[in-house]
Amino acid sequence: LTYTTKSQLLKATQVATKIWFLHSGYVRWYKEERGHQTTVWLSRPGTVILVPSSFLQQVPAGYYLQALTFCQILCLDYAQVTTIMRENPTFRTMITEIADTHTTAVQQYAEVMRLDKGEERMQYLHGMIGSDLYSLNAQVLSSFINMSESSFYKIRKNSMGT
């Protein structure tokens, strides 16, 4: 499947019925409150996109998933996954490990967001997305590391050299 920039993969009120394998591009996870979007996660190329609680418990996701860039994605739907899990216990273990890896990464992100210095949060983001720091939407990235867009530009310029 391909998704163009800003295409919705999932709405917050929907149940996640797919596991996506992100071949290329970036997908942002965001919440919308009082008309304001806050990016809460970025999925990078080569990663698996799984909204663990929604997919495994079949409850609403609570997040919007949107293509931040053009994306090439493979996916398995819930029926395919449950069939494979029934027939192959190793696959069930893999799904659990993917969910655990995502949970750990989100916990690490939460720790970084507690840091007072914007430079430290910018370093985290740079470590996560590398040089794409300069090509992805600055408003989305600044929201992800909890800073204003103007602070984002200033810190990126001062700490990253451009």
Short mmCIF file of all heavy atoms in Angstrom, two decimals, residues 3-67:
data_model
loop_
_atom_site.label_atom_id
_atom_site.label_comp_id
_atom_site.label_asym_id
_atom_site.label_seq_id
_atom_site.Cartn_x
_atom_site.Cartn_y
_atom_site.Cartn_z
N TYR A 3 0.65 5.50 0.90
CA TYR A 3 -0.10 6.59 1.50
C TYR A 3 0.61 7.89 1.16
O TYR A 3 1.83 7.98 1.31
CB TYR A 3 -0.16 6.44 3.03
CG TYR A 3 -1.00 5.27 3.49
CD1 TYR A 3 -0.44 3.99 3.64
CD2 TYR A 3 -2.35 5.43 3.77
CE1 TYR A 3 -1.20 2.93 4.06
CE2 TYR A 3 -3.12 4.35 4.20
CZ TYR A 3 -2.54 3.11 4.35
OH TYR A 3 -3.29 2.04 4.76
N THR A 4 -0.15 8.86 0.72
CA THR A 4 0.43 10.17 0.46
C THR A 4 0.50 10.96 1.76
O THR A 4 -0.16 10.63 2.75
CB THR A 4 -0.41 10.94 -0.59
OG1 THR A 4 -1.74 11.07 -0.09
CG2 THR A 4 -0.42 10.23 -1.92
N THR A 5 1.29 12.02 1.75
CA THR A 5 1.43 12.89 2.91
C THR A 5 0.05 13.33 3.41
O THR A 5 -0.80 13.70 2.61
CB THR A 5 2.29 14.11 2.55
OG1 THR A 5 3.56 13.65 2.09
CG2 THR A 5 2.49 15.03 3.74
N LYS A 6 -0.13 13.26 4.69
CA LYS A 6 -1.36 13.64 5.42
C LYS A 6 -2.50 12.64 5.30
O LYS A 6 -3.58 12.87 5.84
CB LYS A 6 -1.83 15.04 5.04
CG LYS A 6 -0.86 16.13 5.45
CD LYS A 6 -1.45 17.49 5.29
CE LYS A 6 -0.44 18.54 5.77
NZ LYS A 6 -0.97 19.89 5.71
N SER A 7 -2.29 11.50 4.64
CA SER A 7 -3.32 10.47 4.59
C SER A 7 -3.48 9.84 5.98
O SER A 7 -2.50 9.59 6.67
CB SER A 7 -2.95 9.35 3.61
OG SER A 7 -2.88 9.83 2.30
N GLN A 8 -4.73 9.60 6.36
CA GLN A 8 -5.01 8.98 7.66
C GLN A 8 -4.93 7.46 7.53
O GLN A 8 -5.56 6.88 6.66
CB GLN A 8 -6.42 9.35 8.14
CG GLN A 8 -6.59 10.79 8.53
CD GLN A 8 -5.97 11.10 9.89
OE1 GLN A 8 -5.64 10.24 10.68
NE2 GLN A 8 -5.81 12.38 10.15
N LEU A 9 -4.17 6.84 8.43
CA LEU A 9 -4.16 5.39 8.53
C LEU A 9 -5.19 4.93 9.56
O LEU A 9 -5.76 3.86 9.44
CB LEU A 9 -2.78 4.88 8.97
CG LEU A 9 -1.68 4.81 7.93
CD1 LEU A 9 -1.18 6.18 7.55
CD2 LEU A 9 -0.54 3.95 8.44
N LEU A 10 -5.40 5.77 10.58
CA LEU A 10 -6.29 5.40 11.68
C LEU A 10 -6.78 6.66 12.37
O LEU A 10 -6.02 7.61 12.54
CB LEU A 10 -5.50 4.53 12.69
CG LEU A 10 -6.25 3.95 13.87
CD1 LEU A 10 -7.26 2.90 13.42
CD2 LEU A 10 -5.26 3.33 14.85
N LYS A 11 -8.04 6.66 12.76
CA LYS A 11 -8.60 7.76 13.55
C LYS A 11 -8.67 7.33 15.01
O LYS A 11 -8.76 6.13 15.31
CB LYS A 11 -9.99 8.13 13.04
CG LYS A 11 -9.96 8.72 11.65
CD LYS A 11 -11.34 9.10 11.18
CE LYS A 11 -11.26 9.68 9.77
NZ LYS A 11 -12.57 10.03 9.25
N ALA A 12 -8.66 8.30 15.90
CA ALA A 12 -8.64 8.02 17.34
C ALA A 12 -9.83 7.19 17.79
O ALA A 12 -9.71 6.40 18.73
CB ALA A 12 -8.57 9.33 18.12
N THR A 13 -10.95 7.34 17.14
CA THR A 13 -12.17 6.62 17.54
C THR A 13 -12.26 5.23 16.93
O THR A 13 -13.15 4.45 17.29
CB THR A 13 -13.42 7.42 17.13
OG1 THR A 13 -13.36 7.67 15.72
CG2 THR A 13 -13.50 8.74 17.89
N GLN A 14 -11.35 4.90 16.04
CA GLN A 14 -11.37 3.59 15.39
C GLN A 14 -10.57 2.57 16.18
O GLN A 14 -9.62 2.91 16.89
CB GLN A 14 -10.78 3.68 13.98
CG GLN A 14 -11.59 4.49 13.01
CD GLN A 14 -10.88 4.59 11.66
OE1 GLN A 14 -9.70 4.91 11.58
NE2 GLN A 14 -11.63 4.33 10.59
N VAL A 15 -10.93 1.32 16.01
CA VAL A 15 -10.15 0.21 16.57
C VAL A 15 -9.07 -0.14 15.56
O VAL A 15 -9.32 -0.21 14.35
CB VAL A 15 -11.06 -1.02 16.82
CG1 VAL A 15 -10.24 -2.23 17.23
CG2 VAL A 15 -12.11 -0.69 17.88
N ALA A 16 -7.85 -0.32 16.04
CA ALA A 16 -6.75 -0.72 15.16
C ALA A 16 -6.97 -2.17 14.73
O ALA A 16 -6.91 -3.08 15.55
CB ALA A 16 -5.41 -0.57 15.87
N THR A 17 -7.23 -2.36 13.46
CA THR A 17 -7.49 -3.70 12.93
C THR A 17 -6.35 -4.19 12.04
O THR A 17 -6.50 -5.20 11.37
CB THR A 17 -8.80 -3.73 12.13
OG1 THR A 17 -8.69 -2.79 11.05
CG2 THR A 17 -10.00 -3.39 13.01
N LYS A 18 -5.24 -3.45 12.06
CA LYS A 18 -4.10 -3.82 11.22
C LYS A 18 -2.80 -3.64 11.97
O LYS A 18 -2.70 -2.82 12.88
CB LYS A 18 -4.06 -2.94 9.96
CG LYS A 18 -5.22 -3.13 9.04
CD LYS A 18 -5.13 -2.23 7.84
CE LYS A 18 -6.33 -2.54 6.96
NZ LYS A 18 -6.76 -1.47 6.14
N ILE A 19 -1.83 -4.40 11.53
CA ILE A 19 -0.44 -4.17 11.90
C ILE A 19 0.23 -3.72 10.61
O ILE A 19 0.10 -4.38 9.58
CB ILE A 19 0.24 -5.43 12.45
CG1 ILE A 19 -0.41 -5.86 13.77
CG2 ILE A 19 1.73 -5.20 12.65
CD1 ILE A 19 0.16 -7.14 14.34
N TRP A 20 0.90 -2.58 10.67
CA TRP A 20 1.55 -2.02 9.49
C TRP A 20 3.06 -2.22 9.58
O TRP A 20 3.66 -2.08 10.64
CB TRP A 20 1.27 -0.52 9.38
CG TRP A 20 -0.15 -0.16 9.18
CD1 TRP A 20 -0.83 -0.07 8.00
CD2 TRP A 20 -1.10 0.23 10.19
NE1 TRP A 20 -2.13 0.33 8.21
CE2 TRP A 20 -2.32 0.52 9.55
CE3 TRP A 20 -1.03 0.34 11.58
CZ2 TRP A 20 -3.45 0.92 10.24
CZ3 TRP A 20 -2.17 0.74 12.28
CH2 TRP A 20 -3.35 1.02 11.61
N PHE A 21 3.67 -2.52 8.46
CA PHE A 21 5.12 -2.66 8.35
C PHE A 21 5.57 -1.52 7.46
O PHE A 21 5.32 -1.53 6.25
CB PHE A 21 5.49 -4.03 7.77
CG PHE A 21 4.99 -5.18 8.60
CD1 PHE A 21 3.70 -5.68 8.42
CD2 PHE A 21 5.77 -5.72 9.60
CE1 PHE A 21 3.23 -6.72 9.19
CE2 PHE A 21 5.31 -6.76 10.39
CZ PHE A 21 4.03 -7.26 10.19
N LEU A 22 6.23 -0.54 8.06
CA LEU A 22 6.58 0.70 7.37
C LEU A 22 7.88 0.51 6.60
O LEU A 22 8.96 0.48 7.18
CB LEU A 22 6.70 1.84 8.40
CG LEU A 22 6.92 3.24 7.88
CD1 LEU A 22 5.85 3.66 6.89
CD2 LEU A 22 6.95 4.22 9.06
N HIS A 23 7.75 0.36 5.29
CA HIS A 23 8.92 0.16 4.44
C HIS A 23 9.67 1.48 4.21
O HIS A 23 10.89 1.54 4.32
CB HIS A 23 8.50 -0.45 3.11
CG HIS A 23 9.62 -0.61 2.15
ND1 HIS A 23 10.63 -1.52 2.34
CD2 HIS A 23 9.90 0.02 0.98
CE1 HIS A 23 11.49 -1.43 1.35
NE2 HIS A 23 11.08 -0.50 0.51
N SER A 24 8.91 2.53 3.91
CA SER A 24 9.54 3.84 3.71
C SER A 24 8.58 4.92 4.17
O SER A 24 7.36 4.73 4.17
CB SER A 24 9.92 4.04 2.24
OG SER A 24 8.75 4.08 1.43
N GLY A 25 9.16 6.04 4.55
CA GLY A 25 8.36 7.17 5.01
C GLY A 25 8.23 7.23 6.52
O GLY A 25 8.78 6.39 7.24
N TYR A 26 7.49 8.23 6.98
CA TYR A 26 7.26 8.44 8.41
C TYR A 26 5.77 8.54 8.67
O TYR A 26 5.02 9.12 7.88
CB TYR A 26 7.90 9.75 8.89
CG TYR A 26 9.39 9.67 9.07
CD1 TYR A 26 10.25 9.87 8.00
CD2 TYR A 26 9.94 9.39 10.32
CE1 TYR A 26 11.63 9.80 8.16
CE2 TYR A 26 11.31 9.32 10.50
CZ TYR A 26 12.15 9.52 9.42
OH TYR A 26 13.50 9.44 9.58
N VAL A 27 5.35 7.97 9.79
CA VAL A 27 3.96 8.08 10.24
C VAL A 27 3.98 8.73 11.60
O VAL A 27 4.75 8.36 12.48
CB VAL A 27 3.29 6.69 10.32
CG1 VAL A 27 1.91 6.78 11.00
CG2 VAL A 27 3.16 6.08 8.93
N ARG A 28 3.13 9.74 11.76
CA ARG A 28 3.04 10.40 13.06
C ARG A 28 1.79 9.93 13.78
O ARG A 28 0.77 9.64 13.17
CB ARG A 28 3.05 11.91 12.91
CG ARG A 28 1.79 12.49 12.41
CD ARG A 28 1.87 14.01 12.34
NE ARG A 28 0.55 14.50 12.61
CZ ARG A 28 0.20 15.65 13.12
NH1 ARG A 28 1.05 16.52 13.41
NH2 ARG A 28 -0.99 16.01 13.36
N TRP A 29 1.92 9.81 15.08
CA TRP A 29 0.80 9.51 15.96
C TRP A 29 0.48 10.82 16.66
O TRP A 29 1.39 11.48 17.18
CB TRP A 29 1.20 8.50 17.01
CG TRP A 29 1.73 7.18 16.54
CD1 TRP A 29 2.58 6.95 15.49
CD2 TRP A 29 1.50 5.91 17.14
NE1 TRP A 29 2.87 5.62 15.41
CE2 TRP A 29 2.22 4.96 16.42
CE3 TRP A 29 0.74 5.50 18.23
CZ2 TRP A 29 2.21 3.61 16.74
CZ3 TRP A 29 0.74 4.16 18.56
CH2 TRP A 29 1.45 3.21 17.82
N TYR A 30 -0.77 11.20 16.69
CA TYR A 30 -1.09 12.45 17.38
C TYR A 30 -2.45 12.37 18.07
O TYR A 30 -3.28 11.53 17.75
CB TYR A 30 -1.03 13.65 16.43
CG TYR A 30 -2.09 13.73 15.37
CD1 TYR A 30 -3.26 14.46 15.60
CD2 TYR A 30 -1.93 13.12 14.14
CE1 TYR A 30 -4.24 14.57 14.61
CE2 TYR A 30 -2.90 13.22 13.16
CZ TYR A 30 -4.05 13.93 13.40
OH TYR A 30 -5.01 14.03 12.43
N LYS A 31 -2.60 13.27 19.04
CA LYS A 31 -3.87 13.46 19.73
C LYS A 31 -4.38 14.83 19.34
O LYS A 31 -3.59 15.72 19.04
CB LYS A 31 -3.69 13.38 21.24
CG LYS A 31 -3.40 11.99 21.73
CD LYS A 31 -3.49 11.92 23.25
CE LYS A 31 -3.44 10.47 23.66
NZ LYS A 31 -4.21 10.20 24.84
N GLU A 32 -5.67 14.97 19.37
CA GLU A 32 -6.26 16.27 19.08
C GLU A 32 -7.14 16.66 20.26
O GLU A 32 -8.04 15.93 20.65
CB GLU A 32 -7.10 16.20 17.79
CG GLU A 32 -7.52 17.55 17.29
CD GLU A 32 -8.01 17.49 15.86
OE1 GLU A 32 -8.63 16.48 15.47
OE2 GLU A 32 -7.78 18.46 15.14
N GLU A 33 -6.81 17.81 20.84
CA GLU A 33 -7.56 18.33 21.98
C GLU A 33 -7.84 19.80 21.74
O GLU A 33 -6.92 20.57 21.45
CB GLU A 33 -6.77 18.15 23.27
CG GLU A 33 -6.52 16.69 23.61
CD GLU A 33 -5.53 16.49 24.75
OE1 GLU A 33 -4.82 17.45 25.10
OE2 GLU A 33 -5.48 15.37 25.26
N ARG A 34 -9.10 20.18 21.83
CA ARG A 34 -9.52 21.57 21.65
C ARG A 34 -8.98 22.15 20.34
O ARG A 34 -8.48 23.28 20.30
CB ARG A 34 -9.13 22.42 22.85
CG ARG A 34 -9.85 22.00 24.14
CD ARG A 34 -9.50 22.90 25.30
NE ARG A 34 -8.13 22.81 25.72
CZ ARG A 34 -7.64 21.96 26.61
NH1 ARG A 34 -8.45 21.11 27.20
NH2 ARG A 34 -6.37 21.96 26.93
N GLY A 35 -9.01 21.35 19.29
CA GLY A 35 -8.57 21.81 17.98
C GLY A 35 -7.06 21.88 17.79
O GLY A 35 -6.59 22.32 16.76
N HIS A 36 -6.29 21.44 18.80
CA HIS A 36 -4.83 21.49 18.72
C HIS A 36 -4.27 20.07 18.61
O HIS A 36 -4.63 19.20 19.40
CB HIS A 36 -4.27 22.17 19.98
CG HIS A 36 -2.78 22.23 20.01
ND1 HIS A 36 -2.05 23.09 19.20
CD2 HIS A 36 -1.88 21.53 20.73
CE1 HIS A 36 -0.76 22.90 19.44
NE2 HIS A 36 -0.64 21.96 20.36
N GLN A 37 -3.41 19.85 17.62
CA GLN A 37 -2.79 18.54 17.42
C GLN A 37 -1.45 18.49 18.14
O GLN A 37 -0.63 19.39 18.00
CB GLN A 37 -2.59 18.27 15.94
CG GLN A 37 -3.87 18.17 15.16
CD GLN A 37 -3.63 17.93 13.68
OE1 GLN A 37 -2.50 17.83 13.21
NE2 GLN A 37 -4.72 17.83 12.93
N THR A 38 -1.24 17.40 18.89
CA THR A 38 0.03 17.18 19.56
C THR A 38 0.59 15.84 19.11
O THR A 38 -0.06 14.80 19.30
CB THR A 38 -0.14 17.17 21.10
OG1 THR A 38 -0.72 18.41 21.50
CG2 THR A 38 1.19 16.98 21.79
N THR A 39 1.76 15.86 18.50
CA THR A 39 2.40 14.64 18.05
C THR A 39 2.96 13.90 19.27
O THR A 39 3.71 14.47 20.05
CB THR A 39 3.53 14.95 17.05
OG1 THR A 39 2.96 15.68 15.95
CG2 THR A 39 4.20 13.69 16.54
N VAL A 40 2.58 12.63 19.40
CA VAL A 40 3.01 11.85 20.57
C VAL A 40 3.96 10.71 20.20
O VAL A 40 4.56 10.09 21.08
CB VAL A 40 1.80 11.30 21.36
CG1 VAL A 40 0.97 12.44 21.93
CG2 VAL A 40 0.94 10.38 20.50
N TRP A 41 4.11 10.46 18.90
CA TRP A 41 5.05 9.41 18.48
C TRP A 41 5.33 9.55 17.00
O TRP A 41 4.49 10.05 16.24
CB TRP A 41 4.50 8.02 18.78
CG TRP A 41 5.55 6.95 18.62
CD1 TRP A 41 5.60 5.99 17.67
CD2 TRP A 41 6.70 6.78 19.43
NE1 TRP A 41 6.72 5.22 17.84
CE2 TRP A 41 7.42 5.68 18.92
CE3 TRP A 41 7.22 7.45 20.54
CZ2 TRP A 41 8.61 5.24 19.47
CZ3 TRP A 41 8.41 7.01 21.09
CH2 TRP A 41 9.09 5.92 20.56
N LEU A 42 6.50 9.11 16.59
CA LEU A 42 6.87 9.04 15.17
C LEU A 42 7.31 7.62 14.85
O LEU A 42 8.18 7.08 15.54
CB LEU A 42 8.03 9.99 14.86
CG LEU A 42 7.76 11.48 14.98
CD1 LEU A 42 9.06 12.26 14.82
CD2 LEU A 42 6.75 11.93 13.94
N SER A 43 6.73 7.04 13.83
CA SER A 43 7.18 5.73 13.36
C SER A 43 8.07 5.97 12.16
O SER A 43 7.74 6.73 11.25
CB SER A 43 5.99 4.84 12.97
OG SER A 43 5.25 4.51 14.11
N ARG A 44 9.23 5.31 12.18
CA ARG A 44 10.27 5.52 11.17
C ARG A 44 10.29 4.38 10.15
O ARG A 44 9.76 3.31 10.42
CB ARG A 44 11.63 5.57 11.85
CG ARG A 44 11.74 6.63 12.91
CD ARG A 44 12.98 6.43 13.73
NE ARG A 44 12.76 5.27 14.59
CZ ARG A 44 13.64 4.78 15.42
NH1 ARG A 44 14.82 5.30 15.53
NH2 ARG A 44 13.36 3.74 16.17
N PRO A 45 10.97 4.60 9.04
CA PRO A 45 11.11 3.52 8.05
C PRO A 45 11.74 2.28 8.70
O PRO A 45 12.62 2.39 9.55
CB PRO A 45 12.06 4.11 7.00
CG PRO A 45 11.93 5.60 7.14
CD PRO A 45 11.64 5.84 8.60
N GLY A 46 11.24 1.13 8.30
CA GLY A 46 11.78 -0.13 8.81
C GLY A 46 11.19 -0.56 10.15
O GLY A 46 11.66 -1.53 10.73
N THR A 47 10.17 0.13 10.62
CA THR A 47 9.56 -0.25 11.89
C THR A 47 8.17 -0.83 11.69
O THR A 47 7.57 -0.71 10.62
CB THR A 47 9.47 0.95 12.87
OG1 THR A 47 8.67 1.97 12.28
CG2 THR A 47 10.84 1.50 13.19
N VAL A 48 7.69 -1.46 12.74
CA VAL A 48 6.35 -2.02 12.75
C VAL A 48 5.45 -1.05 13.49
O VAL A 48 5.82 -0.54 14.55
CB VAL A 48 6.33 -3.39 13.45
CG1 VAL A 48 4.91 -3.94 13.55
CG2 VAL A 48 7.25 -4.38 12.72
N ILE A 49 4.29 -0.77 12.93
CA ILE A 49 3.33 0.11 13.58
C ILE A 49 2.23 -0.76 14.16
O ILE A 49 1.48 -1.43 13.43
CB ILE A 49 2.73 1.13 12.60
CG1 ILE A 49 3.83 1.98 11.97
CG2 ILE A 49 1.69 2.00 13.30
CD1 ILE A 49 3.35 2.88 10.85
N LEU A 50 2.17 -0.76 15.46
CA LEU A 50 1.18 -1.54 16.19
C LEU A 50 0.68 -0.68 17.34
O LEU A 50 1.49 -0.21 18.14
CB LEU A 50 1.81 -2.84 16.72
CG LEU A 50 1.00 -3.66 17.72
CD1 LEU A 50 -0.26 -4.21 17.08
CD2 LEU A 50 1.86 -4.81 18.26
N VAL A 51 -0.62 -0.44 17.40
CA VAL A 51 -1.21 0.27 18.53
C VAL A 51 -1.63 -0.85 19.49
O VAL A 51 -2.72 -1.42 19.35
CB VAL A 51 -2.40 1.14 18.11
CG1 VAL A 51 -2.93 1.94 19.29
CG2 VAL A 51 -2.02 2.07 16.96
N PRO A 52 -0.73 -1.22 20.43
CA PRO A 52 -0.92 -2.46 21.19
C PRO A 52 -2.28 -2.61 21.87
O PRO A 52 -2.97 -3.61 21.66
CB PRO A 52 0.21 -2.43 22.22
CG PRO A 52 1.26 -1.56 21.61
CD PRO A 52 0.50 -0.54 20.82
N SER A 53 -2.69 -1.64 22.68
CA SER A 53 -3.94 -1.82 23.42
C SER A 53 -5.14 -1.91 22.47
O SER A 53 -6.04 -2.72 22.67
CB SER A 53 -4.13 -0.69 24.43
OG SER A 53 -4.17 0.55 23.76
N SER A 54 -5.15 -1.10 21.45
CA SER A 54 -6.27 -1.10 20.51
C SER A 54 -6.33 -2.41 19.73
O SER A 54 -7.37 -3.04 19.62
CB SER A 54 -6.17 0.09 19.55
OG SER A 54 -7.26 0.09 18.66
N PHE A 55 -5.20 -2.83 19.19
CA PHE A 55 -5.18 -4.03 18.36
C PHE A 55 -5.44 -5.28 19.18
O PHE A 55 -6.27 -6.12 18.81
CB PHE A 55 -3.84 -4.16 17.62
CG PHE A 55 -3.80 -5.30 16.66
CD1 PHE A 55 -4.32 -5.15 15.38
CD2 PHE A 55 -3.27 -6.52 17.02
CE1 PHE A 55 -4.30 -6.20 14.48
CE2 PHE A 55 -3.26 -7.59 16.13
CZ PHE A 55 -3.77 -7.42 14.85
N LEU A 56 -4.76 -5.42 20.30
CA LEU A 56 -4.86 -6.65 21.08
C LEU A 56 -6.17 -6.75 21.86
O LEU A 56 -6.70 -7.84 22.05
CB LEU A 56 -3.66 -6.77 22.02
CG LEU A 56 -2.30 -6.86 21.31
CD1 LEU A 56 -1.16 -6.77 22.30
CD2 LEU A 56 -2.20 -8.13 20.46
N GLN A 57 -6.71 -5.62 22.31
CA GLN A 57 -7.95 -5.64 23.10
C GLN A 57 -9.16 -5.22 22.28
O GLN A 57 -10.28 -5.21 22.79
CB GLN A 57 -7.79 -4.73 24.32
CG GLN A 57 -6.68 -5.19 25.25
CD GLN A 57 -6.35 -4.14 26.29
OE1 GLN A 57 -7.15 -3.26 26.60
NE2 GLN A 57 -5.16 -4.23 26.85
N GLN A 58 -8.94 -4.78 21.04
CA GLN A 58 -10.00 -4.34 20.13
C GLN A 58 -10.84 -3.22 20.74
O GLN A 58 -12.07 -3.28 20.81
CB GLN A 58 -10.86 -5.54 19.69
CG GLN A 58 -10.12 -6.51 18.79
CD GLN A 58 -9.75 -5.88 17.46
OE1 GLN A 58 -10.58 -5.83 16.56
NE2 GLN A 58 -8.54 -5.38 17.30
N VAL A 59 -10.14 -2.18 21.19
CA VAL A 59 -10.76 -0.96 21.72
C VAL A 59 -10.29 0.22 20.87
O VAL A 59 -9.28 0.12 20.17
CB VAL A 59 -10.39 -0.74 23.22
CG1 VAL A 59 -10.92 -1.89 24.08
CG2 VAL A 59 -8.89 -0.59 23.41
N PRO A 60 -10.99 1.37 20.93
CA PRO A 60 -10.55 2.52 20.13
C PRO A 60 -9.10 2.90 20.41
O PRO A 60 -8.61 2.80 21.54
CB PRO A 60 -11.51 3.63 20.57
CG PRO A 60 -12.74 2.90 20.98
CD PRO A 60 -12.24 1.63 21.65
N ALA A 61 -8.43 3.34 19.37
CA ALA A 61 -6.98 3.60 19.43
C ALA A 61 -6.63 4.76 20.37
O ALA A 61 -5.62 4.71 21.06
CB ALA A 61 -6.44 3.89 18.04
N GLY A 62 -7.41 5.83 20.34
CA GLY A 62 -7.09 6.99 21.15
C GLY A 62 -6.08 7.92 20.47
O GLY A 62 -5.79 9.00 20.98
N TYR A 63 -5.54 7.50 19.34
CA TYR A 63 -4.57 8.29 18.58
C TYR A 63 -4.99 8.32 17.12
O TYR A 63 -5.60 7.39 16.62
CB TYR A 63 -3.17 7.66 18.61
CG TYR A 63 -2.60 7.46 19.97
CD1 TYR A 63 -2.63 6.21 20.58
CD2 TYR A 63 -2.02 8.52 20.65
CE1 TYR A 63 -2.09 6.03 21.84
CE2 TYR A 63 -1.48 8.34 21.91
CZ TYR A 63 -1.53 7.09 22.50
OH TYR A 63 -1.01 6.92 23.75
N TYR A 64 -4.59 9.37 16.45
CA TYR A 64 -4.67 9.42 15.00
C TYR A 64 -3.32 8.98 14.47
O TYR A 64 -2.28 9.35 15.02
CB TYR A 64 -4.93 10.85 14.51
CG TYR A 64 -6.29 11.39 14.89
CD1 TYR A 64 -6.48 12.03 16.10
CD2 TYR A 64 -7.37 11.27 14.01
CE1 TYR A 64 -7.73 12.54 16.45
CE2 TYR A 64 -8.61 11.79 14.35
CZ TYR A 64 -8.78 12.42 15.58
OH TYR A 64 -10.01 12.92 15.91
N LEU A 65 -3.32 8.19 13.40
CA LEU A 65 -2.09 7.85 12.70
C LEU A 65 -2.18 8.46 11.32
O LEU A 65 -3.17 8.23 10.60
CB LEU A 65 -1.91 6.33 12.61
CG LEU A 65 -1.21 5.65 13.79
CD1 LEU A 65 -1.97 5.82 15.07
CD2 LEU A 65 -0.97 4.20 13.48
N GLN A 66 -1.17 9.24 10.96
CA GLN A 66 -1.19 10.00 9.71
C GLN A 66 0.18 9.91 9.04
O GLN A 66 1.21 10.02 9.71
CB GLN A 66 -1.53 11.45 10.01
CG GLN A 66 -1.58 12.35 8.81
CD GLN A 66 -1.79 13.80 9.21
OE1 GLN A 66 -1.03 14.35 10.00
NE2 GLN A 66 -2.83 14.42 8.66
N ALA A 67 0.17 9.73 7.73
CA ALA A 67 1.42 9.74 6.98
C ALA A 67 2.02 11.15 7.05
O ALA A 67 1.38 12.11 6.65
CB ALA A 67 1.16 9.33 5.53
#
